[in-house]
Amino acid sequence: MAFQKTLGKKKFPSPHRFSLSKRRGLTFPCSRLKRYLHRSLPSLLISPNSACYLAAVLSYLASEILSLAGDAARSNKKSRITPRHIKFAIHNDEELKLLVGGKDIYVRDGGQMCYLHPDLVPNSNKKK
């Protein structure tokens, strides 16, 4: 939201400067990500566009994980997302599981994933 001065019926934009994130419409801070990139890679030149791209990717991943975790919480009839729901969301999505690191996912306070071998589950198709 831009602060605006009114003069009669005309509105003039304020002279205040806006952050790079606000100008690009992002929620993650571009300047902070650029600073972190400079600290981790001091010998490379890093453009502000790369930090904005990284902020956009992080924002997309966060929204994707939170939407899947919200669905997991809703299926468990809960109104809050817990670390367990985040673990369920990552475990059930193939692309996120591959991105995070494959089979063994560790989320603090996420609990243990239940797995039953198919041979141990009673089959309803078998006749006695």
Side-chain angles (χ1 to χ4, degrees), residues 1-124:
M1 296 182 142
F3 298 105
Q4 295 181 347
K5 297 178 184 177
T6 56
L7 182 65
K9 292 186 179 182
K10 294 183 179 180
K11 293 186 178 181
F12 298 100
S14 72
H16 300 292
R17 292 185 56 173
F18 293 107
S19 67
L20 189 60
S21 301
K22 191 166 269 195
R23 279 184 272 162
R24 303 280 168 97
L26 298 170
T27 54
F28 279 74
C30 295
S31 57
R32 186 179 301 174
L33 289 172
K34 185 179 179 198
R35 187 175 68 233
Y36 291 159
L37 284 172
H38 274 296
R39 284 183 188 168
S40 64
L41 304 167
S43 63
L44 295 178
L45 292 174
I46 297 169
S47 72
N49 290 336
S50 62
C52 291
Y53 188 81
L54 180 62
V57 169
L58 288 176
S59 176
Y60 171 73
L61 286 175
S63 66
E64 187 73 22
I65 289 173
L66 284 176
S67 69
L68 291 171
D71 293 341
R74 201 174 304 116
S75 68
N76 288 335
K77 299 177 184 173
K78 304 288 183 184
S79 59
R80 289 187 184 155
I81 297 174
T82 62
R84 180 125 177 109
H85 298 133
I86 294 173
K87 187 170 183 176
F88 275 134
I90 294 172
H91 182 75
N92 292 333
D93 190 55
E94 292 299 322
E95 294 172 347
L96 283 176
K97 188 191 298 187
L98 185 68
L99 179 71
V100 170
K103 183 181 170 186
D104 298 324
I105 301 166
Y106 178 72
V107 176
R108 185 173 180 194
D109 295 332
Q112 185 69 27
M113 294 301 294
C114 296
Y115 176 74
L116 291 175
H117 196 274
D119 293 338
L120 298 175
V121 178
N123 197 353
S124 61

